[in-house]
Amino acid sequence: MAEDYTSVSLFPTYKTFTASNTTATEIKLPKKCTYLELGSETHKLYIGRNGATDGEAMPAHKMFIPKDNIKSIKIGAGLERVDSIFVQASGGSATVCIELSEK
């Protein structure tokens, strides 16, 4: 099930949610969000965009974030801006910590 943060208007904002190891969770981003940082203390995470769908398995084209690490992602602007990103745990379920920023 998607995590909808489109109504967030104060930055930075911190959120946590549980990601599954079988399906991708969509993170819907607020319009003013220009940076996203995410990671998990206990599990490697997979993140993706192209070809990913909420509630489906993560596609072959993805990136990973090792456990106990944070990845910073600059969100594009204008026509290049994405409205969401997808995350999936590598094993079991993982608590995903994120920071939404406007830098």
Side-chain angles (χ1 to χ4, degrees):
M1 177 175 238
E3 295 292 318
D4 188 351
Y5 301 128
T6 55
S7 64
V8 170
S9 59
L10 297 174
F11 300 99
T13 291
Y14 301 92
K15 300 287 186 178
T16 60
F17 64 92
T18 302
S20 160
N21 69 327
T22 57
T23 60
T25 300
E26 183 178 17
I27 302 170
K28 296 181 179 182
L29 303 171
K31 294 285 184 207
K32 292 185 178 182
C33 178
T34 57
Y35 279 89
L36 171 68
E37 294 187 325
L38 69 158
S40 174
E41 292 179 292
T42 58
H43 290 80
K44 175 172 66 174
L45 298 176
Y46 295 110
I47 58 171
R49 174 74 195 124
N50 44 310
T53 303
D54 185 57
E56 305 265 330
M58 189 66 82
H61 302 289
K62 59 188 176 245
M63 177 59 85
F64 71 92
I65 306 168
K67 73 175 192 153
D68 277 334
N69 282 273
I70 298 290
K71 176 155 179 70
S72 297
I73 302 169
K74 183 177 187 256
I75 307 300
L79 296 175
E80 297 173 4
R81 187 183 193 290
V82 297
D83 294 326
S84 65
I85 195 161
F86 298 82
V87 65
Q88 181 177 321
S90 64
S93 57
T95 299
V96 178
C97 299
I98 67 172
E99 177 185 271
L100 303 166
S101 299
E102 178 185 44
K103 293 185 180 180

